[in-house]
Every structure is written in structure tokens, then in C-alpha cells.
Amino acid sequence: MKDEVLFSLSYGMYAIGVKDEQKISACIVNTVFQVTNNPNRIAVSMSHDNYSYDCIMKTGMFTVSVLSEDTSGAVIGALGFSSGRNTDKLANVRHKVLAEGLPVITENCCCWLLCKVTDRLETPTHTVFIAEVTAGSDKSVGTPMTYDYYHKVIKGKAPKNAPTYQAKQPVGDGDSTESWICTVCGYVYNDPDVPFEDLPDDWVCPICGMPKSAFKRQ
Ligand code: FE
């Protein structure tokens, strides 16, 4: 079997909110699914390298914010491409802190869930947390973003606050356009109207915030 076959499995895009003794943080995961109802339990798979993993192991609690298709690459970049150990990942992301001290995203988020860990399934690299949903939104708003949508649409286009944003951008039409790829997050820049070389020196990757020097010609 080729590993690429596994790309056909479907996922979503979620922000996991956590707290430590001193601070709050969040990260992006693509694996959240409902395991049981009555009571409602969900499962989340998380890497042991993740700061959020350490926080969940300490507190036994986390939140799930279901990101909508309107979520900007900048939000995903802020939460997904740096570590909460050293940075305040939520500094530029609209959020609120629940009474339990855990953050949920309020920016283009469909709904949120507050979860209490009941079981863990260990693997050498990841832990699957099974958790009871103890509170959450009364309703869900907008269209949840799938992982496929993130790859095909978000990565192929600049977000609305990026200097290169256009309402209608071709996605990956490689005919006469050079593509440049971010070596950190994989974002592909291929705007036919603004060559990569013409972007201002202080332009940064709209997904992960890395400078132009992090890009290489594809
Ligand atoms: Fe990037």
C-alpha cells in the first residue's frame, strides 16, 4: 500500500483550547470525532510533542472550537505553526475564556465544546483522548471547514487580510505562473498578477507568518 492512499480519509479543522497553571493556549488538530452519545463523548488524537498535550495531561480538560470555512489562514497559522510553550498563540486571535479557565475561539467558529477526559488510548507518538462533552454552544453557525477544504482552498489562496488577496484567485493553474512554496507550512504562492519577486520585502506567509526567504521555487 502507498501511504498516499490514506489521504482519502476525511477530517475536519478544530482548535483545541487548553490551560496551564499560568496561561491559556490552543492548537490545531484535524481528528475529532464522536464516540458515543448519552453521554456525549468525543475522541481527539494529539501528538506527545504538542504543548497542548502536556496541558491536557495536567488538567484533564480541553475545549474544541469547530473552525468554519471562513477561518483565515492567519488564524490557522497562529495556532498551528508555532508552539504555545514560548509564544502567546492567542494574542491576535479573537477568543473568550470560559468560567473553567479554558479558551474557545470566537472568530469564524461554528461552535465550541467543553470536554473532560475520561479515558486515554496510548500509542508511541500520539494519545487518543476520550472525553465527555460537559458543555457547549447552543447552536452551530456556518459551514465547518474540512481538512480537504483547508488544503485545496486555504492553501491555494491568500486570506482576506493578505496583500495579495483577490476575490477570485486561480488555484494551482500552473500554466504561466511560477509557484513558490513555503518550506515551513507548505502554502503555495502562485498569484498570476503579482509575481513572487514583486511582493514587498516585509511580505510574510499568510498561513504561518514566515518571511519571503522561507519560500523556494516549486
Ligand atoms: Fe508558511
Side-chain angles (χ1 to χ4, degrees), residues 81 181-187 204-210 214-215:
F81 292 98
I181 186 166
C182 176
T183 56
V184 174
C185 74
Y187 171 80
V204 296
C205 173
I207 299 289
C208 72
M210 292 300 283
F215 280 71

Side-chain angles (χ1 to χ4, degrees), residues 44-66:
V44 178
S45 178
M46 187 163 296
S47 165
H48 296 164
D49 294 335
N50 211 313
Y51 172 65
S52 296
Y53 165 81
D54 295 341
C55 295
I56 296 173
M57 288 297 281
K58 280 185 201 164
T59 65
M61 295 176 75
F62 62 89
T63 62
V64 178
S65 297
V66 180

Side-chain angles (χ1 to χ4, degrees), residues 101-123:
L102 293 150
V104 294
I105 310 302
T106 55
E107 189 168 339
N108 298 313
C109 179
C110 294
C111 60
W112 60 268
L113 309 169
L114 175 63
C115 305
K116 192 171 188 309
V117 175
T118 57
D119 299 279
R120 296 199 316 259
L121 175 62
E122 299 294 345
T123 78

Side-chain angles (χ1 to χ4, degrees), residues 160-190:
K160 284 183 179 175
N161 59 355
T164 55
Y165 177 78
Q166 295 174 40
K168 285 189 174 180
Q169 293 181 88
V171 178
D173 77 340
D175 284 347
S176 58
T177 308
E178 281 189 354
S179 292
W180 289 72
I181 186 166
C182 176
T183 56
V184 174
C185 74
Y187 171 80
V188 175
Y189 182 88
N190 58 0

Side-chain angles (χ1 to χ4, degrees), residues 83-105:
S83 172
R85 280 191 182 88
N86 320 311
T87 54
D88 180 3
K89 294 165 78 172
L90 289 162
N92 299 311
V93 178
R94 291 203 300 278
H95 63 279
K96 67 178 179 183
V97 179
L98 304 178
E100 291 79 4
L102 293 150
V104 294
I105 310 302

